[in-house]
Amino acid sequence: MDYRKTAEQIVQLVGGEKNIQSVTHCMTRLRFSLYDNGKANKQRIEKINGVMGVNITGDQFQIIVGNEVPKVYNEIIGTSSINAEGGKEQAKKGNKNPISAAFEVIASCFTPILPAIAGAGMIKGILAIAATFGWLSATDQTYIILSAIGDGAFYFLPMLLAFSCARKFGSNPYVAVTIAAALLHPDLTALFGAGESISFIGLPITIATYSSTVIPILLAIWVASYVEKFVDKYTHAAVKLIVVPTVTILVVVPVTLVAIGPLGTIIGDYLSIGLNFLFENTGFFAAMLLGGTFSLIIMTGMHYALSPVIINNLATNGYDYIFPAMFVANMGQAGAALAVALRTKNTGFKSLAFTTSLTAVMGITEPAMYGVNMRMKEPFFGALLGGAIGGA
């Protein structure tokens, strides 16, 4: 394949540089944000040497290239003035389905970090097998080191996601990572763990867990993008380098601690109370509801709020009714990813779907959920349905 020629033909047939807002790529696809998808010639693009197909998801124009996609992408960026994945997007005309828009934002933010969480998830899956068959003990130093390797990407997921989200929202990615790092700082974690009431300049802060969460950092960086642009607009060029990041960090971190982050914890507390009521009064319907929504709960990080309930049930009753519903929700994600693997004709995506399905069986659902099922939307809803049926 002549990568430069392929790149030039693609740019021309999607409507030229003027029709392209930004472009990024995943493992097999070029992902264009076009001002007008109608200007792209889908039929001619599919006939380009090296192009395997075209898919339009929401407002995103996707060109399937396969394993050679990074080389074609580099040629597009290197030979044109097109914005890369950090390009600032302009608003499009027309109404967009808010649910579809939300899925598109989440998928776009997760696509660049997919290799990290897929690799870490696979390590955790291998480690789970080793522990199950007695090859390693949880007290072994080898186990502890491997566990740290596998957990790193998930524990510090807000930092990875912050960088990716900042590119999506058009703000400074390094400032975004600084915001996430502050939320995960050991001193702040210790302050939360002390169990005492916490306040910042008189404003109460609700104790929350930020490691491994998704929604709090998504909202935080979204807010940060607006704060940064506002401050940048009214700051003299001579002091922007100092003033803009300083004000952005000083505003967004406290706002996240006071208002954004605790939302998950507050909702989680009420979720625990509601689940207890449902299981005690509605029978199988409660397990159906939890099995069908647990993947959504994982996205918010609120699943940690269920841990005390599970532990208390095991301690007082000797059994628990929440954990099995959580298990079938994971199996729903695994089954959906496996279905994609069996159906897709794209070799690269087939491999990804098989791998993430395996890690989901091991209990690590994020790679399958964000890397496969949410990207295609229908499999994700299928996973939720499968979890509901399994829970019932």
Side-chain angles (χ1 to χ4, degrees):
M1 183 196 304
D2 186 333
Y3 302 116
R4 174 164 294 191
K5 183 178 180 181
T6 299
E8 290 173 349
Q9 289 178 323
I10 288 174
V11 170
Q12 179 185 356
L13 292 176
V14 295
E17 292 186 28
K18 292 182 178 180
N19 193 39
I20 301 173
Q21 287 184 323
S22 62
V23 60
T24 182
H25 73 89
C26 57
M27 297 183 71
T28 59
R29 304 184 184 202
L30 291 167
R31 295 170 173 266
F32 287 90
S33 290
L34 303 178
Y35 290 108
D36 184 358
N37 285 343
K39 292 183 178 180
N41 192 324
K42 184 173 179 290
Q43 287 73 27
R44 290 185 63 188
I45 292 172
E46 290 175 335
K47 295 178 181 178
I48 295 174
N49 180 35
V51 173
M52 301 177 185
V54 174
N55 183 47
I56 302 175
T57 303
D59 287 328
Q60 196 174 75
F61 193 90
Q62 303 173 3
I63 300 177
I64 305 167
V65 179
N67 296 331
E68 305 297 326
V69 67
K71 296 177 181 178
V72 177
Y73 171 81
N74 289 335
E75 288 293 340
I76 291 175
I77 298 302
T79 60
S80 69
S81 59
I82 298 169
N83 286 332
E85 54 191 354
K88 295 183 179 181
E89 297 185 4
Q90 298 178 17
K92 292 186 180 182
K93 294 180 180 180
N95 295 323
K96 183 190 292 186
N97 185 314
I99 297 176
S100 177
F103 270 80
E104 183 182 327
V105 168
I106 294 172
S108 297
C109 290
F110 267 90
T111 295
I113 68 172
L114 182 58
I117 62 175
M122 196 64 188
I123 293 170
K124 287 174 70 67
I126 293 170
L127 194 59
I129 293 174
T132 299
F133 287 96
W135 301 334
L136 287 174
S137 168
T139 57
D140 292 341
Q141 293 180 347
T142 301
Y143 180 97
I144 294 171
I145 293 172
L146 286 174
S147 180
I149 294 172
D151 280 338
F154 293 102
Y155 183 87
F156 293 103
L157 181 61
M159 294 178 69
L160 297 175
L161 200 55
F163 192 92
S164 183
C165 287
R167 286 184 162 187
K168 173 66 178 176
F169 299 137
S171 58
N172 189 309
Y174 301 99
V175 171
V177 171
T178 301
I179 293 169
L183 299 176
L184 297 173
H185 196 281
D187 288 350
L188 190 60
T189 303
L191 188 63
F192 286 161
E196 301 176 358
S197 59
I198 305 171
S199 64
F200 177 77
I201 58 172
L203 299 173
I205 293 177
T206 302
I207 295 174
T209 300
Y210 293 100
S211 60
S212 303
T213 58
V214 172
I215 300 301
I217 198 65
L218 273 170
L219 293 175
I221 304 308
W222 177 68
V223 170
S225 69
Y226 284 96
V227 173
E228 181 179 309
K229 291 167 188 173
F230 178 82
V231 177
D232 182 80
K233 182 178 180 180
Y234 293 99
T235 303
H236 192 277
V239 293
K240 279 186 179 183
L241 180 64
I242 298 174
V243 174
V244 175
T246 301
V247 174
T248 301
I249 295 168
L250 281 177
V251 170
V252 175
V253 173
V255 167
T256 302
L257 292 173
V258 173
I260 298 174
L263 281 176
T265 300
I266 294 170
I267 296 173
D269 290 340
Y270 284 103
L271 179 66
S272 297
I273 295 172
L275 283 173
N276 274 327
F277 175 82
L278 287 173
F279 274 101
E280 290 169 4
N281 295 278
T282 64
F284 78 91
F285 175 77
M288 180 176 70
L289 180 64
L290 181 58
T293 60
F294 187 70
S295 295
L296 301 175
I297 295 172
I298 289 176
M299 291 173 59
T300 68
M302 293 188 298
H303 55 299
Y304 292 107
L306 301 177
S307 297
V309 180
I310 294 171
I311 294 171
N312 182 68
N313 288 338
L314 292 172
T316 57
N317 303 325
Y319 62 86
D320 171 64
Y321 40 62
I322 297 177
F323 198 76
M326 294 163 58
F327 170 76
V328 295
N330 288 353
M331 293 304 99
Q333 295 294 337
L338 178 60
V340 172
L342 295 174
R343 295 281 293 177
T344 183
K345 292 180 174 61
N346 185 294
T347 305
F349 199 55
K350 182 184 289 289
S351 175
L352 174 67
F354 267 125
T355 301
T356 56
S357 175
L358 177 61
T359 60
V361 170
M362 304 296 177
I364 314 301
T365 59
E366 286 89 345
M369 186 161 63
Y370 298 119
V372 177
N373 299 335
M374 288 190 70
R375 280 167 60 181
M376 301 185 70
K377 295 186 179 67
E378 289 87 352
F380 183 72
F381 291 116
L384 299 184
L385 180 60
I389 294 171

